Amino acid sequence: MSADTPESEAVADRPARYDARAIERKWQDVWAAERTWEAPNPGRPGFDPDAAKAYVLVMLPYPSGEPHVGHLKVYSVGDAIAHYRRRTGHEVLQPMGYDSFGLPAENHAIQTGEHPRVSTERSIASFRKQFLDWGISIDWSRELATHSPDYYRWTQWIFLRLFEAGLAYRAEAAVHWCPQDQTVLANEQVIDGRCERCGTEVVPKKLEQWYFRITDYADRLLADFDRLESWPEHVVTMQRNWIGRSEGAEAVFRCAELGMDFPVFTTRPDTLYGATFFVLAPEHPDLDRLIDGTANAGEVRDYVAAALRRPAGERGDAEREKTGVRLERPVTNPVNGEEIPVFVADYVLMEYGTGAIMAVPAHDQRDYEFAQTFDLPIRPVVEPADGSDPPDDAAFVTQSEDVRIVNSGDLDGLTPAAAMLRIIEELQADGRGRLAVNYRLRDWLLSRQRYWGCPIPIVHCPNCGPVPVPDEQLPVELPDVDDYRPKGQSPLATATDWVETTCPRCSGPARRETDTMDTFVDSSWYFLRYLDPGNEELPFDRAIADHWMPVDQYIGGVEHAILHLMYARFFTKALADEGLLGVQEPFANLFTQGMITREGAKMSKSKGNVVDPADYVARYGADTARTYVCFMGPPDRGGDWVDEGVDGVHRFLSRLWRLADELPAAGGKEPSAFDAEWQRRTEGAPRALLAKAHWAIDKATRDFERDFQFNTVIAAVMELVNDAYRLRAELEGDDGRRAFRFATATAASLIFPFAPHLGSEAWEMVAGGHLWEEPWPLADQELLATDVITLVVQVNGKLRDRVEVPVGAAEADVLAAVHASPRVQELLDGREPVKSIVVPDRLVNLVVR
RNA sequence: GCCGGAGUGGCGGAAUGGCAGACGCGAUCGAUUCAAAAUCGAUUGUCCGAAAGGACGUGUGGGUUCGAAUCCCACCUCCGGUACCA
């Protein structure tokens, strides 16, 4: 039905129909024209210093192809929160941007020759168009894309501040190399020994690479979980485990012959007397010196070479039989002076602890297996205190009160905990060890040998070493290249004119760094750039950032629980340490939404079960699609997309629209329908409908506040609409019409966060004006309360009857009413209850015999 | 193995110590229609019963309680994370 259809024809020929497309276009035009969702910064026109701020942020999308149903869900959830916060009096900032550097665009370029910028920007245009079609209330004036030089200039600038602070450094180490993508990967990007992106088994490779010193922040990353308001417990746990702090001791084993010290980390210093051998990782840097000049040096080197070639997945397999080679030089146990043999074995990892372990086969499963294979002595040093036989299990390492130390000199008889303290004291006194804390977390490897990323702003000078590019020369722009294929080094290396430059320090000939940054660097600070996107002097102004930060509500997929969320926390702390920012934690509240499946399976092109949100938006309108994804179930859990469910939601929205359509649109909007005094005087069916409306307001508000229970918020509005239909026939006269109007307006108001177009339209039809300017409704306690309560009557805990009693009736009166019931009398059959439980205004339970 | 989360009708789910199954889907019946679609209304956990009503019922077994889907103990299953981490 177009706007210029003559009224008579529309009324005569066609029944009124909910025309979602027309309604959605109408309101989207209004919001675009009046820039409704723009949030002014402090000091700008329209800024209200008295309004509470709410920074509502959904993780920015990686723009590839078209948005999928996961995007629909996450932005629908975020927008519902944004709308709710606005109408509860907050100045809401909801921005949007694109995480637009990355491998898929580059792989596409390798296949087609199309520049990644071209395909990426095409995809950004699709995303933007769909977000507009969905009517997400975004402040578009702050839009950004991480591949734009205006953005990555500041990524480079921040890199240089971290470099100056000693938090970015270059080091040679064994790294994870993906042979398929021809690039190194961070620890966090290796899943089960395979590349996170392409699934290829990663291989170890020794390379000089750039790192961020995130390990310096390990303790603060752990401690500051206390500063968060509300994060899902499992996300905190995952990060805790990833950081993997363990307390123990460092003990130094000495090779007397060479005068070399080998420190080890152990969480069980109390078992030091049980160490019967010593093991080094194949990558251990001192291995060469240790085997130099010994008879089996060749055999050791062969073993090491084989171990280093082994894919990480295979080496990490705990089921594999232990392998290793015995070296010819022993080391000395610092507590008892005992000489024990040294092995090299690939079950010891260079990246954890010191790359060397003391092996206690009696109390460690892996050491036990190794000792079995190589027929080495096993010496128990912890036994049950009652003298019973220890369990057969080699992993008998309990630290409980009912075990005692044995075979350990003067430690014998102590509990493990006491022995631990004593031994650390002794080690420290001798200078042979100390209390130590160890982390699983590694420094963040950020170099990538790929094209489509942010260039690292460093120049390598033969005289001065790595020299930072001066701030005023930023951005170091990504040059165009002819061939995107990776060849073991970044495709940037082929851009000769770009690579060859002069040293900013000595002006001699120098070469640019050709690696690019991990794209997680780009997304580690984007939430700050939104705050001040036009700033040409700094990445962001501190005063503006201090106003908006922290993000009040962050929303995204749980798949980012470790990587992105930990990196962003690290960046925030590092920037705060540089005095650039006043907060220690970027995201006060985190909400992780569950994944949508179809027919119980993850959507994928190969399975042919992909839901394209654009299809549903075209067919039913965005409001239906958005409301459906919020209605499927609690949004933090997953859900299965069912087309019939979409129909159901569309039916509900149509019913709501028709309610509005039935009310005379023209003439006074009858503000009296909202008059509390009038509402309280109403009786009968109008009163029942008004009460239902206030019940829905109350229910919706509570469920919004409690964990964003959107499915039950929507269900409450459905109930209200259903009641309006049911009671419609009884709603006669002024009171009836007003109650009907109030119920419809309330339903529109409550559904607005999920279906903002329909909500606005229905509101305009029955109340007039712009719904988003209306405060969130408040339930009238007087209309929530009823004077008579239907009380549940149980006999011996089983439901037997119901009686009506006045609200707040005294216990004696309630019991009298219960005993007066014929059914109760029949069931009691003359017996006196031994006990009567009365829960005021709820139930009575009579216990007999 | 370890750490999280979850098991409720035909299906998605609701109820977090007090009426199990809100709301939606599906199904059945009715109204409307020349007919269909759409729409409106009613019914819909299982079993027994003509009905009134009764029995059973939230993964399994036990416990606490007047009362348990909800709390406790043990176990089973599924999902997610993580793992030669010393």
Side-chain angles (χ1 to χ4, degrees):
Chain A
M1 204 190 303
S2 68
D4 53 4
T5 308
E7 225 173 89
S8 55
E9 188 188 318
V11 171
D13 297 347
R14 271 165 284 182
R17 189 176 63 89
Y18 164 44
D19 185 348
R21 286 176 63 105
I23 292 169
E24 291 176 4
R25 213 170 300 125
K26 166 182 163 185
W27 292 104
Q28 284 163 14
D29 287 347
V30 171
W31 299 330
E34 69 165 33
R35 301 169 163 229
T36 313
W37 314 122
E38 289 187 13
N41 272 344
R44 307 296 301 170
F47 178 77
D48 176 3
D50 297 325
K53 66 94 182 176
Y55 188 178
V56 177
L57 182 65
V58 180
M59 290 178 187
L60 86 176
Y62 174 75
S64 173
E66 303 269 336
H68 53 74
V69 73
H71 293 111
L72 175 68
K73 179 168 177 183
V74 78
Y75 295 107
S76 298
V77 167
D79 206 34
I81 296 170
H83 277 308
Y84 177 73
R85 291 265 190 273
R86 278 192 197 97
R87 292 186 54 207
T88 51
H90 297 82
E91 180 72 73
V92 168
L93 171 58
Q94 183 178 224
M96 179 58 73
Y98 312 94
D99 188 18
S100 42
F101 273 135
L103 265 185
E106 185 168 347
N107 289 338
H108 173 82
I110 292 166
Q111 279 163 24
T112 65
E114 183 176 49
H115 196 291
R117 186 184 302 113
V118 175
S119 58
T120 298
E121 289 181 355
R122 187 169 55 235
S123 186
I124 287 176
S126 304
F127 272 66
R128 184 189 297 120
K129 179 182 181 304
Q130 289 214 31
F131 294 153
L132 286 164
D133 284 348
W134 299 349
I136 310 290
S137 62
I138 291 161
D139 179 349
W140 287 104
S141 71
R142 298 168 185 266
E143 189 185 25
L144 59 81
T146 60
H147 80 286
S148 139
D150 297 337
Y151 182 86
Y152 71 68
R153 170 185 181 185
W154 300 110
T155 307
Q156 293 172 342
W157 188 91
I158 290 170
F159 173 92
L160 292 175
R161 299 294 84 77
L162 296 184
F163 179 76
E164 288 163 2
L167 291 173
Y169 67 94
R170 210 168 143 77
E172 186 178 43
V175 297
H176 300 294
W177 176 262
C178 173
Q180 171 67 37
D181 289 337
Q182 294 273 307
T183 185
V184 299
L185 298 169
N187 274 25
E188 288 81 355
Q189 288 164 326
V190 180
I191 313 289
D192 291 334
R194 292 173 179 277
C195 171
E196 171 197 49
R197 285 228 161 271
C198 66
T200 308
E201 228 172 74
V202 304
V203 294
K205 193 167 183 174
K206 221 167 189 186
L207 280 176
E208 196 170 335
Q209 297 285 295
W210 285 96
Y211 292 86
F212 283 134
R213 216 177 284 281
I214 191 172
T215 52
D216 274 11
Y217 286 75
D219 273 327
R220 284 166 65 188
L221 288 168
L222 282 173
D224 287 356
F225 285 129
D226 293 344
R227 293 176 186 255
L228 306 174
E229 282 172 42
S230 162
W231 274 40
E233 196 52 48
H234 66 280
V235 173
V236 173
T237 306
M238 278 162 73
Q239 285 200 18
R240 236 184 249 290
N241 292 343
W242 189 264
I243 296 167
R245 182 181 203 272
S246 39
E247 291 183 12
E250 194 172 282
V252 180
F253 286 66
R254 190 173 178 83
C255 173
E257 189 185 334
L258 296 176
M260 288 173 74
D261 282 342
F262 291 92
V264 299
F265 173 77
T266 174
T267 53
R268 294 299 305 275
D270 54 313
T271 63
L272 256 163
Y273 281 87
T276 54
F277 59 102
F278 190 91
V279 190
L280 293 169
E283 299 88 348
H284 201 287
D286 293 337
L287 196 56
D288 269 341
R289 282 178 63 197
L290 204 55
I291 60 172
D292 192 34
T294 63
N296 72 341
E299 191 194 339
V300 173
R301 288 203 178 91
D302 288 347
Y303 177 80
V304 169
L308 294 188
R309 266 198 313 274
R310 225 185 282 283
E314 187 184 327
R315 178 167 165 189
D317 182 7
E319 303 302 308
R320 210 174 106 243
E321 188 164 353
K322 298 281 176 285
T323 62
V325 179
R326 182 170 181 155
L327 311 189
E328 291 176 2
R329 294 190 172 110
V331 294
T332 307
N333 187 330
V335 292
N336 57 7
E338 187 180 1
E339 282 204 337
I340 54 173
V342 176
F343 290 80
V344 57
D346 65 4
Y347 82 91
V348 173
L349 307 176
M350 192 59 219
E351 56 270 24
Y352 188 77
T354 61
I357 61 152
M358 65 168 199
V360 184
H363 304 294
D364 182 279
Q365 185 65 35
R366 298 149 299 169
D367 297 346
Y368 176 78
E369 287 166 16
F370 192 85
Q372 292 276 295
T373 308
F374 287 83
D375 200 20
L376 295 161
I378 296 168
R379 184 193 304 152
V381 291
V382 186
E383 273 182 12
D386 59 11
S388 64
D389 285 340
D392 245 6
D393 192 353
F396 174 64
V397 290
T398 174
Q399 296 191 32
S400 66
E401 283 303 306
D402 50 4
V403 295
R404 293 291 179 269
I405 299 290
V406 295
N407 295 330
S408 298
D410 57 359
L411 300 178
D412 286 0
L414 293 178
T415 61
M420 232 180 263
L421 292 175
R422 175 88 72 82
I423 227 162
I424 290 169
E425 236 169 67
E426 287 173 10
L427 285 170
Q428 200 136 22
D430 298 349
R432 311 299 302 161
R434 58 190 175 81
L435 199 69
V437 175
N438 200 44
Y439 300 91
R440 209 190 79 114
L441 181 69
R442 303 291 87 198
D443 275 342
W444 173 10
L445 197 173
L446 71 111
S447 319
R448 295 293 180 274
Q449 289 71 50
R450 299 299 304 239
Y451 172 73
W452 190 232
C454 174
I456 295 174
I458 292 286
V459 168
H460 296 284
C461 169
N463 299 318
C464 313
V467 178
V469 173
D471 287 355
E472 60 275 13
Q473 289 177 27
L474 299 182
V476 175
E477 282 207 49
L478 193 59
D480 286 342
V481 297
D482 298 324
D483 184 0
Y484 303 105
R485 266 175 306 173
K487 297 168 228 42
Q489 57 172 344
S490 166
L492 288 183
T494 63
T496 322
D497 291 350
W498 179 84
V499 173
E500 287 170 7
T501 184
T502 53
C503 172
R505 197 164 292 162
C506 71
S507 300
R511 293 175 60 81
R512 287 190 191 279
E513 170 68 54
T514 58
D515 284 352
T516 51
M517 296 187 208
D518 181 1
T519 55
F520 278 106
V521 180
D522 307 325
S523 56
S524 290
W525 74 281
Y526 76 104
F527 45 90
L528 296 165
R529 185 63 178 174
Y530 281 143
L531 306 178
D532 195 10
N535 198 325
E536 293 184 4
E537 309 298 318
L538 286 168
F540 52 89
D541 178 86
R542 169 153 180 182
I544 295 171
D546 285 351
H547 168 72
W548 288 111
M549 289 297 285
V551 171
D552 295 276
Q553 186 63 58
Y554 200 30
I555 303 124
V558 72
E559 63 273 18
H560 296 108
I562 297 173
L563 289 155
H564 163 62
L565 288 169
M566 201 171 62
Y567 292 151
R569 294 180 65 215
F570 160 61
F571 258 52
T572 300
K573 291 177 193 306
L575 291 171
D577 289 352
E578 291 301 297
L580 296 163
L581 196 57
V583 293
Q584 288 292 326
E585 283 293 332
F587 314 124
N589 298 286
L590 175 68
F591 186 87
T592 54
Q593 108 274 12
M595 198 178 48
I596 296 180
T597 55
R598 194 178 210 187
E599 283 134 28
K602 223 179 206 174
M603 292 184 198
S604 74
K605 279 186 190 134
S606 58
K607 285 198 206 95
N609 64 344
V610 175
V611 170
D612 181 354
D615 290 347
Y616 289 84
V617 171
R619 209 153 114 220
Y620 298 96
D623 283 339
T624 295
R626 294 177 52 169
T627 306
Y628 175 64
V629 293
C630 291
F631 182 64
M632 292 170 77
D636 55 337
R637 279 196 247 158
D640 208 54
W641 183 282
V642 179
D643 281 354
E644 287 75 19
V646 183
D647 286 329
V649 167
H650 190 251
R651 209 154 21 227
F652 154 63
L653 294 179
S654 305
R655 278 159 68 82
L656 173 49
W657 182 86
R658 284 199 307 272
L659 283 183
D661 186 57
E662 275 184 26
L663 288 157
K669 304 291 184 186
E670 293 192 66
S672 61
F674 297 87
D675 179 66
E677 289 310 314
W678 165 75
Q679 288 192 2
R680 288 172 185 181
R681 283 197 307 271
T682 313
E683 289 171 347
R687 171 74 179 209
L689 186 55
L690 291 171
K692 186 67 179 185
H694 284 276
W695 168 84
I697 292 169
D698 185 59
K699 167 88 177 146
T701 308
R702 276 187 289 116
D703 289 353
F704 246 112
E705 295 289 346
R706 171 170 65 96
D707 283 344
F708 308 120
Q709 287 270 330
F710 296 155
N711 51 330
T712 55
V713 173
I714 295 164
V717 186
M718 287 174 168
E719 284 196 52
L720 173 58
V721 168
N722 289 346
D723 270 20
Y725 273 84
R726 255 193 291 276
L727 292 166
R728 195 165 37 162
E730 302 169 47
L731 297 172
E732 286 171 344
D734 274 3
D735 278 5
R737 209 180 56 252
R738 284 182 196 165
F740 192 48
R741 192 179 288 277
F742 180 77
T744 306
T746 299
S749 179
L750 297 178
I751 206 63
F752 171 81
F754 313 100
H757 314 87
L758 171 70
S760 299
E761 180 73 10
W763 180 269
E764 189 186 52
M765 289 158 84
V766 303
H770 289 164
L771 175 53
W772 58 89
E773 290 161 9
E774 298 289 326
W776 189 253
L778 193 66
D780 184 338
Q781 292 303 317
E782 199 162 312
L783 278 120
L784 282 179
T786 45
D787 12 321
V788 176
I789 287 265
T790 304
L791 211 63
V792 170
V793 181
Q794 297 181 336
V795 176
N796 286 342
K798 282 200 192 333
L799 172 71
R800 294 302 180 187
D801 200 9
R802 291 154 215 272
V803 295
E804 305 228 313
V805 295
V807 166
E811 200 170 304
D813 297 339
V814 169
L815 282 175
V818 167
H819 281 280
S821 143
R823 245 187 92 51
V824 170
Q825 284 174 7
E826 188 183 321
L827 280 155
L828 290 183
D829 194 23
R831 293 170 299 182
E832 266 306 301
V834 291
K835 199 167 182 181
S836 302
I837 314 285
V838 180
V839 183
D841 295 343
R842 292 198 100 144
L843 104 175
V844 170
N845 187 12
L846 304 177
V847 186
V848 290
R849 198 181 305 258

